[in-house]
Amino acid sequence: MNQQEFIKLISPFKDKLFRMAKRLLVSTEEAEDATQEVLVKLWNNNEVLSKYSSVEAFAMTITKNYCLDQLKSKRASNLQIVHSNYTDNAASVQKQIEDKDSWNWVEKIIETLPEQQRLIIQMRDVEEYEFAEIAQILDMNETAVRVALSRARKEIREQLVKKHNYGIA
């Protein structure tokens, strides 16, 4: 595979790799480094890429594993998982403030979820992956992905309702 074929193959999903890395690593610089490392790994293995049924899923798996390794390393001890790509420009100022507050609570609640549920929420609700793709990337049963997503959403909903109803008799 030559360079042009490789670029044509990875171009459709390279931004998704960056967004996954950014979601996990928070830092834009760390996410850029992670994406670059993954692309280098893919290039070094370009001879065997044709053997994979979904190069995108393979790349996402490499990205996830690389980022998790970075989070576990000493130099990444100050990184955390956050989710911050929600905006509502058409709402009133008060509604915007309320939405921002609610979203901050959702972010905090997502941070408390188990790692697997955080990843599933990211891939399904942010990246809009299909259940089959998530199952392949995380090496899980598709039913288990649905159950984990349901439990994560339920926990977020319950915690958010609890926060909103605090102090109401």
Side-chain angles (χ1 to χ4, degrees), residues 112-163:
T112 66
L113 292 174
E115 181 178 298
Q116 186 180 62
Q117 289 180 0
R118 285 193 307 253
L119 289 172
I120 291 171
I121 286 279
Q122 164 71 21
M123 286 190 267
R124 181 66 182 167
D125 293 341
V126 177
E127 300 293 335
E128 299 179 352
Y129 276 87
E130 297 298 322
F131 287 108
E133 294 173 308
I134 296 170
Q136 184 179 6
I137 290 168
L138 296 179
D139 194 28
M140 294 174 65
N141 184 314
E142 194 172 330
T143 305
V145 171
R146 290 178 188 272
V147 169
L149 179 63
S150 174
R151 288 180 180 162
R153 287 177 175 166
K154 181 180 178 188
E155 180 65 23
I156 292 168
R157 185 172 39 254
E158 287 174 356
Q159 292 293 327
L160 197 56
V161 167
K162 190 189 224 181
K163 297 293 181 196

Side-chain angles (χ1 to χ4, degrees), residues 54-68:
S54 174
V55 176
E56 180 179 347
F58 177 62
M60 289 299 287
T61 303
I62 292 174
T63 303
K64 175 196 71 157
N65 291 338
Y66 180 85
C67 291
L68 293 177

